[in-house]
Amino acid sequence: MSLGPARFGVRNPVPVNLLMAAFLIAGVVAGLSLRREFFPEQDSDAAALLMPYPGATPEEVEESLAIKIENALIDLDEVDELTASLSEGGGAMTISFREGIDNDKALDEVNRVVDALEDLPDEAEEITTQLIEPRLPVILVAVYGDLDELSLKQAARNVRDELLTLPDMGEILIDGVRQYELTVDVRQEALLQQGISLPAVADAVRAWMNEVPGGTVKGT
């Protein structure tokens, strides 16, 4: 006749107590050695690829850059998914890596494949990639009020500048605001008459907006 766990424990208290003590000791050791973090460390599992193409339409960016890069990267074993976002003058691509791989090596492989592409347009600028580092917000500060967008944007920047004066302050990111933009409307008839292309106009605007060091002014 087989003995049940309860009957075995009653008839053999010494081995049962030793087994219970072993479980308790193992639990205490595991609890003391358990890694504890307020915000757990997260490894990046994706990379961002930027495709600047000044003066190009979203369609031109797609045909000349995005499709060629997607076709070159989609067959990599490290790549799980590609997501592209295109706009006037360039685009961006999010590269999701498969689980369990070395992200730094995966990024090196992506760079190797992109650098090997030879049929990209000469007008396109250098393609850059970087790992997307996950960020967990600690404190969210909302700035709101019955004001115009420009005033709210300036108020948010003032709050950021004040917070940066605090000791041991980390990184502060402003989100939910639109960046300043300069819109240039051109007349197609004038471009045709002068023999000027739209990319040439974009290059002229970009050159005009470049920041040039002004040197040092000394008074006597």
Side-chain angles (χ1 to χ4, degrees):
M1 180 177 179
S2 60
L3 298 178
R7 182 176 298 179
F8 177 84
V10 172
R11 294 187 176 183
N12 302 274
V14 175
V16 172
N17 292 334
L18 292 177
L19 183 61
M20 182 179 297
F23 280 134
L24 291 175
I25 294 174
V28 172
V29 172
L32 294 177
S33 61
L34 184 65
R35 183 177 181 180
R36 297 177 297 275
E37 292 185 2
F38 189 74
F39 288 108
E41 181 179 352
Q42 292 181 318
D43 296 329
S44 174
D45 59 354
L49 183 146
L50 301 181
M51 304 173 289
Y53 191 177
T57 63
E59 292 76 13
E60 292 174 336
V61 176
E62 180 181 15
E63 295 176 1
S64 303
L65 290 176
I67 293 179
K68 296 177 181 179
I69 295 175
E70 285 180 351
N71 292 338
L73 296 180
I74 196 63
D75 294 331
L76 293 179
D77 295 335
E78 296 85 355
V79 174
D80 182 39
E81 184 180 6
L82 297 173
T83 304
S85 175
L86 308 178
S87 61
E88 190 82 19
M93 186 177 299
T94 302
I95 307 171
S96 300
F97 298 131
R98 301 186 186 277
E99 295 183 2
I101 67 170
D102 190 320
N103 295 323
D104 292 325
K105 293 182 179 179
L107 184 63
D108 292 339
E109 183 67 14
V110 169
N111 290 328
R112 183 190 65 80
V113 172
V114 173
D115 292 340
L117 296 175
E118 299 179 350
D119 55 345
L120 301 181
D122 296 334
E123 296 80 6
E125 297 181 358
E126 182 183 2
I127 298 174
T128 59
T129 59
Q130 63 179 3
L131 291 176
I132 300 176
E133 299 296 339
R135 290 190 177 100
L136 292 176
V138 178
I139 298 177
L140 296 177
V141 179
V143 179
Y144 65 95
D146 188 14
L147 300 172
D148 58 274
E149 182 180 356
L150 181 60
S151 300
L152 287 175
K153 186 184 299 184
Q154 186 59 46
R157 290 191 170 94
N158 292 338
V159 173
R160 177 199 59 190
D161 296 340
E162 290 292 335
L163 292 176
L164 288 175
T165 62
L166 299 177
D168 301 327
M169 178 58 63
E171 185 179 8
I172 299 178
L173 299 178
I174 297 179
D175 194 13
V177 298
R178 295 184 296 178
Q179 299 297 325
Y180 293 109
E181 294 182 354
L182 175 65
T183 302
V184 179
D185 294 329
V186 298
R187 292 179 297 172
Q188 296 292 339
E189 299 81 5
L191 291 180
L192 294 176
Q193 291 176 1
Q194 300 296 329
I196 302 175
S197 64
L198 191 59
V201 175
D203 292 339
V205 174
R206 188 180 305 103
W208 174 72
M209 296 182 62
N210 283 341
E211 295 184 1
V212 179
T216 302
V217 178
K218 295 183 179 180
T220 56

Coordinates of all heavy atoms in Angstrom, one line a residue, residues 15-54:
P15 N 13.4 14.1 7.1 CA 13.7 14.5 5.7 C 12.7 15.6 5.2 O 13.1 16.5 4.4 CB 13.5 13.2 4.9 CG 12.7 12.4 5.8 CD 13.0 12.7 7.2
V16 N 11.5 15.6 5.6 CA 10.5 16.7 5.2 C 11.0 18.0 5.7 O 11.0 19.0 5.0 CB 9.1 16.3 5.7 CG1 8.2 17.5 5.4 CG2 8.6 15.1 5.0
N17 N 11.4 18.1 7.0 CA 11.9 19.4 7.5 C 13.2 19.8 6.8 O 13.4 21.0 6.6 CB 12.1 19.2 9.0 CG 10.8 19.1 9.8 OD1 9.8 19.5 9.3 ND2 10.9 18.4 11.0
L18 N 14.1 18.9 6.5 CA 15.3 19.2 5.8 C 15.0 19.8 4.4 O 15.6 20.8 3.9 CB 16.2 18.0 5.7 CG 16.9 17.5 7.0 CD1 17.7 16.3 6.8 CD2 17.7 18.6 7.6
L19 N 14.0 19.2 3.7 CA 13.6 19.6 2.4 C 13.0 21.0 2.5 O 13.3 21.9 1.7 CB 12.6 18.7 1.8 CG 12.2 19.0 0.4 CD1 13.3 19.0 -0.6 CD2 11.1 17.9 -0.1
M20 N 12.2 21.3 3.5 CA 11.5 22.6 3.7 C 12.6 23.6 4.0 O 12.6 24.8 3.4 CB 10.5 22.5 4.8 CG 9.8 23.9 5.0 SD 8.6 23.7 6.4 CE 7.5 22.5 5.7
A21 N 13.6 23.3 4.8 CA 14.7 24.2 5.1 C 15.5 24.6 3.9 O 15.9 25.7 3.7 CB 15.6 23.7 6.2
A22 N 15.7 23.6 3.0 CA 16.4 23.8 1.8 C 15.7 24.8 0.9 O 16.3 25.7 0.3 CB 16.7 22.5 1.1
F23 N 14.4 24.6 0.8 CA 13.5 25.5 0.0 C 13.6 26.9 0.5 O 13.7 27.9 -0.3 CB 12.1 25.0 -0.1 CG 11.9 23.9 -1.1 CD1 11.2 22.8 -0.7 CD2 12.4 23.9 -2.4 CE1 11.0 21.7 -1.6 CE2 12.2 22.9 -3.3 CZ 11.5 21.8 -2.9
L24 N 13.5 27.1 1.8 CA 13.6 28.4 2.4 C 14.9 29.1 2.2 O 15.0 30.3 1.9 CB 13.3 28.3 3.9 CG 11.8 27.9 4.3 CD1 11.7 27.7 5.8 CD2 10.8 28.9 3.8
I25 N 16.0 28.3 2.4 CA 17.3 28.9 2.2 C 17.5 29.3 0.7 O 18.0 30.4 0.4 CB 18.4 27.9 2.6 CG1 18.3 27.7 4.1 CG2 19.8 28.4 2.2 CD1 19.3 26.6 4.6
A26 N 17.0 28.4 -0.2 CA 17.2 28.8 -1.7 C 16.3 30.0 -2.0 O 16.7 30.8 -2.8 CB 16.7 27.6 -2.5
G27 N 15.2 30.1 -1.4 CA 14.3 31.3 -1.6 C 15.0 32.6 -1.1 O 14.9 33.6 -1.8
V28 N 15.6 32.5 0.1 CA 16.3 33.7 0.6 C 17.4 34.1 -0.3 O 17.7 35.3 -0.6 CB 16.7 33.4 2.1 CG1 17.6 34.6 2.6 CG2 15.5 33.3 3.0
V29 N 18.3 33.1 -0.7 CA 19.4 33.4 -1.5 C 19.0 34.0 -2.8 O 19.5 35.0 -3.3 CB 20.2 32.1 -1.7 CG1 21.3 32.4 -2.8 CG2 20.8 31.7 -0.4
A30 N 17.9 33.4 -3.5 CA 17.4 34.0 -4.7 C 16.9 35.4 -4.6 O 17.1 36.2 -5.4 CB 16.4 33.0 -5.3
G31 N 16.2 35.6 -3.5 CA 15.6 37.0 -3.2 C 16.7 38.0 -3.0 O 16.6 39.2 -3.5
L32 N 17.8 37.7 -2.3 CA 18.9 38.6 -2.1 C 19.7 38.9 -3.3 O 20.2 40.0 -3.5 CB 19.8 38.1 -0.9 CG 19.1 38.0 0.4 CD1 20.1 37.4 1.4 CD2 18.7 39.4 0.9
S33 N 19.8 37.9 -4.2 CA 20.6 38.1 -5.4 C 19.8 38.6 -6.6 O 20.3 38.8 -7.7 CB 21.3 36.8 -5.8 OG 20.3 35.8 -6.0
L34 N 18.5 38.7 -6.4 CA 17.6 39.1 -7.5 C 17.9 40.6 -7.9 O 18.0 41.5 -7.0 CB 16.1 39.0 -7.1 CG 15.1 39.3 -8.2 CD1 15.2 38.3 -9.4 CD2 13.7 39.3 -7.6
R35 N 18.1 40.8 -9.2 CA 18.4 42.2 -9.7 C 17.1 43.1 -9.6 O 16.0 42.7 -10.1 CB 18.9 42.2 -11.1 CG 19.3 43.5 -11.7 CD 19.8 43.4 -13.0 NE 20.2 44.7 -13.6 CZ 20.7 44.9 -14.8 NH1 20.9 43.8 -15.6 NH2 21.1 46.1 -15.2
R36 N 17.2 44.2 -8.9 CA 16.1 45.1 -8.7 C 16.4 46.5 -9.3 O 17.4 47.0 -9.0 CB 15.7 45.2 -7.2 CG 15.3 43.9 -6.6 CD 15.1 44.1 -5.1 NE 16.3 44.5 -4.4 CZ 17.2 43.6 -4.0 NH1 17.1 42.3 -4.2 NH2 18.3 44.1 -3.3
E37 N 15.5 47.0 -10.1 CA 15.6 48.3 -10.7 C 14.3 49.0 -10.7 O 13.2 48.4 -11.0 CB 16.1 48.2 -12.2 CG 17.6 47.7 -12.3 CD 18.1 47.8 -13.7 OE1 17.3 48.2 -14.6 OE2 19.2 47.4 -13.9
F38 N 14.3 50.3 -10.5 CA 13.1 51.1 -10.5 C 12.5 51.1 -12.0 O 11.3 50.9 -12.2 CB 13.3 52.5 -10.0 CG 12.1 53.3 -9.9 CD1 11.2 53.1 -8.8 CD2 11.8 54.3 -10.8 CE1 10.1 53.8 -8.6 CE2 10.6 55.0 -10.6 CZ 9.8 54.8 -9.6
F39 N 13.4 51.3 -12.9 CA 13.1 51.2 -14.3 C 14.0 50.1 -15.0 O 15.2 50.3 -15.1 CB 13.3 52.5 -15.1 CG 12.3 53.6 -14.7 CD1 12.7 54.7 -13.9 CD2 11.0 53.5 -15.1 CE1 11.8 55.6 -13.6 CE2 10.1 54.5 -14.8 CZ 10.5 55.6 -14.0
P40 N 13.4 49.0 -15.3 CA 14.2 47.9 -15.8 C 14.9 48.3 -17.1 O 14.4 49.0 -17.9 CB 13.2 46.8 -16.1 CG 12.0 47.1 -15.3 CD 12.0 48.6 -15.2
E41 N 16.2 47.8 -17.2 CA 17.0 48.1 -18.4 C 16.3 47.4 -19.6 O 16.0 46.2 -19.6 CB 18.4 47.7 -18.2 CG 19.3 48.0 -19.4 CD 20.7 47.5 -19.2 OE1 21.0 47.1 -18.0 OE2 21.5 47.6 -20.1
Q42 N 16.2 48.1 -20.7 CA 15.6 47.6 -21.9 C 16.6 47.7 -23.1 O 17.2 48.7 -23.3 CB 14.3 48.3 -22.3 CG 13.2 48.1 -21.4 CD 11.9 48.8 -21.8 OE1 12.0 50.0 -22.2 NE2 10.8 48.2 -21.6
D43 N 16.8 46.6 -23.8 CA 17.7 46.6 -24.9 C 16.9 47.0 -26.2 O 15.8 46.7 -26.4 CB 18.3 45.2 -25.1 CG 19.2 44.8 -24.0 OD1 19.8 45.7 -23.4 OD2 19.3 43.6 -23.7
S44 N 17.6 47.8 -27.0 CA 17.0 48.2 -28.3 C 16.8 47.0 -29.2 O 17.7 46.1 -29.3 CB 17.9 49.3 -28.9 OG 17.4 49.6 -30.2
D45 N 15.7 46.9 -29.8 CA 15.4 45.9 -30.8 C 15.0 46.5 -32.1 O 14.4 45.8 -33.0 CB 14.3 45.0 -30.3 CG 13.0 45.7 -30.1 OD1 13.0 46.9 -30.2 OD2 12.0 45.0 -29.8
A46 N 15.4 47.7 -32.4 CA 15.1 48.4 -33.7 C 16.1 49.4 -33.9 O 16.8 49.9 -33.0 CB 13.7 48.9 -33.6
A47 N 16.2 49.8 -35.2 CA 17.1 50.9 -35.6 C 16.3 51.9 -36.5 O 15.3 51.5 -37.2 CB 18.3 50.3 -36.3
A48 N 16.8 53.1 -36.5 CA 16.2 54.1 -37.4 C 17.2 54.4 -38.5 O 18.4 54.6 -38.3 CB 15.9 55.4 -36.6
L49 N 16.7 54.5 -39.7 CA 17.5 54.8 -40.9 C 16.9 56.0 -41.6 O 15.7 56.1 -41.9 CB 17.4 53.6 -41.9 CG 18.3 53.7 -43.2 CD1 18.8 52.3 -43.6 CD2 17.5 54.3 -44.3
L50 N 17.7 57.1 -41.7 CA 17.3 58.3 -42.3 C 17.8 58.4 -43.7 O 19.0 58.1 -44.1 CB 17.9 59.5 -41.5 CG 17.5 59.5 -40.0 CD1 18.1 60.8 -39.3 CD2 16.0 59.5 -39.9
M51 N 16.9 58.9 -44.6 CA 17.2 59.0 -46.1 C 17.0 60.4 -46.5 O 15.9 60.7 -47.1 CB 16.2 58.0 -46.8 CG 16.3 56.6 -46.4 SD 15.1 55.5 -47.2 CE 13.6 56.2 -46.4
P52 N 17.9 61.3 -46.3 CA 17.7 62.7 -46.8 C 17.9 62.8 -48.3 O 18.8 62.3 -48.9 CB 18.8 63.5 -46.1 CG 19.8 62.5 -45.7 CD 19.1 61.1 -45.6
Y53 N 16.9 63.4 -49.0 CA 16.9 63.6 -50.4 C 16.4 65.0 -50.7 O 15.2 65.1 -51.0 CB 16.1 62.5 -51.1 CG 16.3 62.5 -52.6 CD1 15.7 61.5 -53.3 CD2 17.1 63.4 -53.3 CE1 15.8 61.4 -54.7 CE2 17.2 63.3 -54.7 CZ 16.6 62.3 -55.4 OH 16.7 62.3 -56.7
P54 N 17.2 66.0 -50.6 CA 16.7 67.4 -50.7 C 16.0 67.7 -52.0 O 16.5 67.3 -53.1 CB 18.0 68.3 -50.6 CG 18.9 67.4 -49.9 CD 18.6 66.0 -50.3

